[in-house]
Amino acid sequence: MAYLQFLGAAETVTGSKHLINTSNDPSGRNGLQVLIDCGLFQGAKQWRLKNWEPTPVPATQIDAVILTHAHLDHCGWIPRLVKEGFRGKIYATPPTIDLCHVVLPDSGHLQEEEARFHNQKNTSKHKPALPLYTLEEAEKSLLNFEPVNFGETKQLSADFSFRFVHAGHILGSAMVEVFRQQGSQRHKYLFSGDIGRVPDHVPTPGRVVSRGPETQEDPEILVMESTYGNRSHPQDDVRDEMAQLINDTVTRGGSVVVPAFAVERTQKFLFILKELMESGRIPRVPVFVDSPMAIKAVEICMKYTAEFNEEAQHLVSAYGSPLTWQGFTFAIKQEDSKKINQVLYPCIIVSSSGMVTGGRVLHHLLHRLPDPRNLVMFIGFQAPGTRGAIIKSRADSVRIFSGEVPIRAQIAALEQFSDHADTSELLRWMRTFKKQPSATYLVHGENGAAWLLQKAISEELGWKVSIAKWLEKVPLA
Ligand SMILES: [Zn+2]
């Protein structure tokens, strides 16, 4: 009997990996074994340690990976899968592949830096500490990628095909419709990946991609994210709160640190920042975009402007490429990054990683967190257990580079920037389905969020829905 097995993002928000086995034996020899997403576990140590374990199914026996989008919790384990002997194809949309060309080598670079740091400071029980994968290994894994356009049906075997449809989450993000032929019966399963804000009659604040999530779906089985299953996003315009926070910080002589995913999220934030400056709502303080991949990231976003909504397209045509803006500095080299520490007048620093799990934002926070004049402004989801979540919770201190750093700066979180649908938006999207799936499995959510969403779905829609458990196998009818 064919089955689906949850190898990640089950009972947690990271490490997305869902295995489809179409054969009737666990080795997959009589059919296909396909992974939907291959993400990195981030956050709590119990999950992060799983990055070091081999997949429960040997990488050599997996035939293909179908990737929903370029966030690390969905694609960041791909280089490790290839390192462990995976030789199949990785299918993704063209923008997702472009983004992976930036994101995966950067992730490899960060893994190497981390290992180097532990070896220098002797802070790992492993001698020597090794990277999960290197920059070179990440680059090598890119050779396995093959583009598949939205709406195109890709046949992987006589009885297995799939199609990407718009998810509306980030640039290139897709849901995967999987089709399996069993005799004369054609089964359809839908893997949501991450689901973007569901548009209303008023433009959803912070939303940039123009299309998705696709409506009128009719899968037998739905595997759906539940990141914000217990939340409702503010509906007001983010610009008012953002301007107020920046003005207050600059008035008291402080600087703003914005941890942000380097690709897309950073560019979206920059355009809003530029608009606030041009309209005179905030002063023209220097802006530093501190990421080794900053320029490439801008180039990818400018290549796909047609994918953006009308408002974002208007900003692009009004202001052109962020690379040309006066007062905006893109730090590429490590030395440029370090120099930002010497800036004593108010400035705005946008730096990755978005959940403060690594990257250059660490040294900016080390430097700026202890000063109450400064502001740390979160514009993205912070998975529990990450440094970002600890800072956002306004704890007394946070561990950075093996030392405790006091948190005295002001902390703010602008939830309007979220790229995830909230509970009411998810329900609104599900109400567009042509028919009720026979089973719905919730993944990619902490237990509380998944549990509340499960309750809302069964009470309001009457659907059969359960929370996926790590390593659980469910039959595919
Ligand atoms: Zn995502």
Side-chain angles (χ1 to χ4, degrees), residues 169-476:
H169 171 58
I170 64 161
L171 182 62
S173 67
M175 296 191 187
V176 187
E177 294 176 339
V178 170
F179 303 97
R180 189 171 71 88
Q181 199 70 37
Q182 191 183 25
S184 60
Q185 258 190 316
R186 191 188 197 219
H187 301 287
K188 177 178 175 181
Y189 319 119
L190 180 67
F191 293 82
S192 77
D194 285 350
I195 304 172
R197 307 293 303 274
V198 177
D200 205 341
H201 55 285
V202 257
T204 312
R207 188 183 149 91
V208 169
V209 279
S210 63
R211 294 192 56 188
E214 216 71 60
T215 57
Q216 306 287 308
E217 279 291 353
D218 55 357
E220 283 165 39
I221 291 176
L222 168 67
V223 177
M224 186 176 107
E225 72 127 324
S226 53
T227 316
Y228 280 118
N230 56 347
R231 293 288 285 275
S232 60
H233 295 314
Q235 292 298 313
D236 49 340
D237 191 327
V238 71
R239 281 164 276 222
D240 300 335
E241 196 179 345
M242 196 170 140
Q244 179 82 49
L245 285 164
I246 293 172
N247 283 324
D248 290 350
T249 308
V250 172
T251 306
R252 61 177 183 254
S255 290
V256 185
V257 180
V258 185
F261 183 61
V263 185
E264 204 215 67
R265 180 62 59 98
T266 289
Q267 288 74 43
K268 173 161 136 184
F269 180 78
L270 291 181
F271 272 103
I272 295 182
L273 204 58
K274 175 78 173 163
E275 194 192 18
L276 289 178
M277 283 183 182
E278 292 298 324
S279 58
R281 294 177 67 187
I282 58 168
R284 290 176 190 273
V285 291
V287 177
F288 297 98
V289 185
D290 186 20
S291 158
M293 48 183 168
I295 291 180
K296 273 194 217 156
V298 170
E299 283 165 354
I300 293 171
C301 283
M302 300 303 282
K303 177 174 164 188
Y304 292 106
T305 49
E307 299 283 323
F308 296 148
N309 67 18
E310 220 175 297
E311 190 190 22
Q313 289 200 30
H314 170 74
L315 290 173
V316 172
S317 59
Y319 304 124
S321 167
L323 298 174
T324 63
W325 300 345
Q326 231 180 9
F328 286 66
T329 307
F330 287 78
I332 306 302
K333 296 198 199 102
Q334 193 81 33
E335 309 92 84
D336 303 332
S337 175
K338 291 270 158 65
K339 273 189 209 151
I340 303 172
N341 285 342
Q342 293 155 18
V343 177
L344 300 177
Y345 42 81
C347 64
I348 298 170
I349 304 160
V350 189
S351 187
S352 59
S353 73
M355 297 198 285
V356 202
T357 49
R360 292 181 182 177
V361 76
L362 289 181
H363 81 82
H364 296 301
L365 289 172
L366 176 72
H367 193 69
R368 312 256 177 192
L369 263 179
D371 187 340
R373 291 175 303 170
N374 295 331
L375 165 71
V376 178
M377 189 152 72
F378 287 103
I379 58 171
F381 181 75
Q382 303 303 313
T386 55
R387 283 192 199 87
I390 294 167
I391 298 169
K392 193 176 156 185
S393 75
R394 298 172 177 82
D396 292 337
S397 66
V398 63
R399 199 164 182 79
I400 299 178
F401 299 136
S402 59
E404 284 296 319
V405 180
I407 302 174
R408 298 198 194 99
Q410 185 188 356
I411 309 296
L414 300 178
E415 307 291 353
Q416 292 95 326
F417 275 102
S418 177
D419 283 324
H420 289 271
D422 64 13
T423 315
S424 66
E425 291 172 343
L426 287 173
L427 290 171
R428 183 143 35 100
W429 173 65
M430 295 167 94
R431 282 195 179 97
T432 71
F433 276 43
K434 282 196 266 187
K435 63 170 196 174
Q436 180 176 327
S438 55
T440 294
Y441 298 97
L442 299 181
V443 294
H444 208 276
E446 293 302 316
N447 283 335
W451 186 81
L452 284 169
L453 185 63
Q454 180 191 32
K455 193 164 171 276
I457 294 170
S458 60
E459 282 176 4
E460 293 189 32
L461 307 179
W463 288 18
K464 188 168 168 268
V465 51
S466 44
I467 299 169
K469 293 189 181 54
W470 188 59
L471 295 187
E472 181 189 5
K473 284 182 185 176
V474 298
L476 289 174

